[in-house]
Amino acid sequence: GAVVSQHPSRVICKSGTSVKIECRSLDFQATTMFWYRQFPKQSLMLMATSNEGSKATYEQGVEKDKFLINHASLTLSTLTVTSAHPEDSSFYICSAVLAGPTFFGPGTRLTVL
Amino acid sequence: DAKTTQPTSMDCAEGRAANLPCNHSTISGNEYVYWYRQIHSQGPQYIIHGLKNNETNEMASLIITEDRKSSTLILPHATLRDTAVYYCKYYGGSQGNLIFGKGTKLSVKP
């Protein structure tokens, strides 16, 4: 199947700093990518839809000024958590669609101290 | 979000077949049935999908009833590494903004 990668896999940062997470489709082009967040023992929650060449579309309740999304190319989307706080600690996952099935990245574990 | 019904949890003995059911009675004619799973602390993984014919790949088999209102994912020889939460979804086209419910927590036991 298609491969989606994320970097970094794990990050620990101090409160108030910004963290950038990269999502890449390695063997296919993705006009659209998606970002999810998952808290312990809960299901994935869709945060936003990342569109190449245009602004991201955010789900209700997700702060667009806090979670900056940039879809710079057909294979790369980035999520920047700005001024991170402990409540932003979570598992962040991206995905991309290839002709029907959705392929997910391995996730990024963010811990904000 | 398209509604599916799955059991909350299931147990399976290692080496035996795991049969995971899903009801999707409101599926429409052009919507495919998709199965994904999430192993603890990993991103979800696509398993298999189908429209109306039964499908098989290296991971699993998918049996869809003739009326398409339900399906069963079959892991023919479950291993401990198959312990995960399994999600059944249905949609048409290339929908990527998937909403995940609780799925079925499959525990494969030695």
Side-chain angles (χ1 to χ4, degrees), chain B residues 55-69:
Chain B
E55 301 288 344
T56 295
N57 63 20
E58 65 279 4
M59 292 183 66
S61 294
L62 174 62
I63 308 297
I64 302 173
T65 57
E66 194 168 338
D67 64 7
R68 302 207 328 119
K69 292 185 178 183

Side-chain angles (χ1 to χ4, degrees), chain A residues 97-111:
Chain A
V97 179
L98 179 61
T102 294
F103 295 93
F104 292 83
T108 297
R109 176 77 57 192
L110 170 64
T111 303

Side-chain angles (χ1 to χ4, degrees), chain B residues 80-93:
Chain B
L80 299 179
R81 289 175 296 179
D82 292 321
T83 292
V85 179
Y86 287 76
Y87 297 97
C88 166
K89 309 291 296 179
Y90 65 88
Y91 53 91

Side-chain angles (χ1 to χ4, degrees), chain B residues 1-106:
Chain B
D1 180 47
K3 182 164 176 59
T4 59
T5 304
Q6 298 178 253
T8 302
S9 63
M10 293 181 65
D11 289 342
C12 177
E14 187 179 19
R16 303 297 294 268
N19 298 289
L20 292 89
C22 178
N23 288 324
H24 33 79
S25 59
T26 56
I27 192 170
S28 61
N30 63 346
E31 292 179 316
Y32 285 73
V33 179
Y34 291 83
W35 282 83
Y36 296 86
R37 72 180 182 184
Q38 186 177 23
I39 296 170
H40 182 62
S41 296
Q42 297 182 25
Q45 178 186 24
Y46 161 76
I47 302 173
I48 197 168
H49 74 286
L51 185 63
K52 53 184 177 181
N53 296 322
N54 298 336
E55 301 288 344
T56 295
N57 63 20
E58 65 279 4
M59 292 183 66
S61 294
L62 174 62
I63 308 297
I64 302 173
T65 57
E66 194 168 338
D67 64 7
R68 302 207 328 119
K69 292 185 178 183
S70 65
S71 62
T72 301
L73 178 74
I74 301 172
L75 307 179
H77 306 285
T79 70
L80 299 179
R81 289 175 296 179
D82 292 321
T83 292
V85 179
Y86 287 76
Y87 297 97
C88 166
K89 309 291 296 179
Y90 65 88
Y91 53 91
S94 298
Q95 179 179 334
N97 53 334
L98 303 181
I99 307 298
F100 286 87
K102 294 192 181 300
T104 297
K105 182 174 173 56
L106 175 68

